[in-house]
Amino acid sequence: MTSDTIIDMTDKMYAELALERSIKDKFGVDADIRQAIVFKVPVSHTAEATLFLTSKKQLYLYVFGESKLLLGDIKKIVTRMGLKADTYLPPKGRPNYFTEVGSAKFRDVFPGRSHISEADILFYKTLSPYNPALVLISEVNNGVVYQFDADSTSGWRQATKFTYRRIRTS
């Protein structure tokens, strides 16, 4: 091993440790990163994502960006990366975050409505600010993870091959 390789490995370990701490602080999740599938790949012009496997064999996607990201943006990113989301984790200490924000935005648009159903606020939840975002992934579609590429015709290209499907147990 060369000294450059050792430095790169050390930098990656520090970056993974910083990511674990950030996830713990912002989402209250103990994410012991066992393997980074893709690390800081572009998912838009201003956002990056890290897909990693925990020691409990759970697959998470962590998305962060310099610009404002909404839940709707994160849902599009997950789909375009070739992933299926299981759970969009809310910020630490706010288990009903998306419902709270969706209800508030719905009331801004329809101030006279008193009885608000879940179906009424479904769209307004997607307008919730969500940066950084942490998503529990249930499946990798077709065993391919994609990343943003402005130069490709579709805007996305293959980042890596990785097969994963979470099997629910009771």
Side-chain angles (χ1 to χ4, degrees):
M1 269 196 231
T2 65
S3 62
D4 290 341
T5 306
I6 293 171
I7 291 170
D8 288 344
M9 289 173 58
T10 306
D11 287 346
K12 189 174 179 188
M13 286 189 327
Y14 281 126
E16 287 178 0
L17 185 61
L19 179 61
E20 286 176 10
R21 286 187 180 157
S22 176
I23 290 169
K24 177 77 173 159
D25 291 344
K26 292 180 171 82
F27 299 98
V29 175
D30 281 321
D32 181 25
I33 299 175
R34 192 180 109 215
Q35 176 187 0
I37 311 307
V38 292
F39 195 75
K40 291 188 175 182
V41 295
V43 291
S44 77
H45 289 286
T46 59
E48 295 180 328
T50 298
L51 183 69
F52 61 91
L53 202 57
T54 66
S55 56
K56 294 179 182 176
K57 299 197 184 342
Q58 292 177 310
L59 190 63
Y60 283 99
L61 179 69
Y62 182 79
V63 182
F64 52 96
E66 296 171 17
S67 63
K68 181 177 163 184
L69 292 171
L70 305 175
L71 177 61
D73 299 329
I74 300 300
K75 286 183 175 189
K76 281 183 193 171
I77 288 169
V78 168
T79 302
R80 290 183 178 155
M81 285 185 76
L83 308 171
K84 280 189 183 174
D86 183 270
T87 309
Y88 294 90
L89 288 107
K92 181 180 179 180
R94 297 184 69 187
N96 299 319
Y97 172 72
F98 300 117
T99 304
E100 291 167 7
V101 173
S103 296
K105 292 196 181 283
F106 183 85
R107 282 192 195 94
D108 289 345
V109 176
F110 302 103
R113 295 271 308 262
S114 58
H115 299 300
I116 301 172
S117 71
E118 187 67 27
D120 291 335
I121 64 169
L122 195 59
F123 166 73
Y124 295 93
K125 284 182 177 183
T126 64
L127 302 176
S128 303
Y130 198 34
N131 185 16
L134 184 64
V135 185
L136 180 61
I137 302 297
S138 64
E139 184 179 341
V140 176
N141 295 330
N142 303 321
V144 178
V145 178
Y146 294 92
Q147 72 181 47
F148 178 74
D149 183 3
D151 294 333
S152 88
T153 54
S154 68
W156 292 83
R157 68 175 168 89
Q158 180 177 325
T160 190
K161 290 186 176 191
F162 183 73
T163 305
Y164 179 86
R165 178 175 284 155
R166 184 171 175 212
I167 300 169
R168 288 222 170 242
T169 56
S170 55

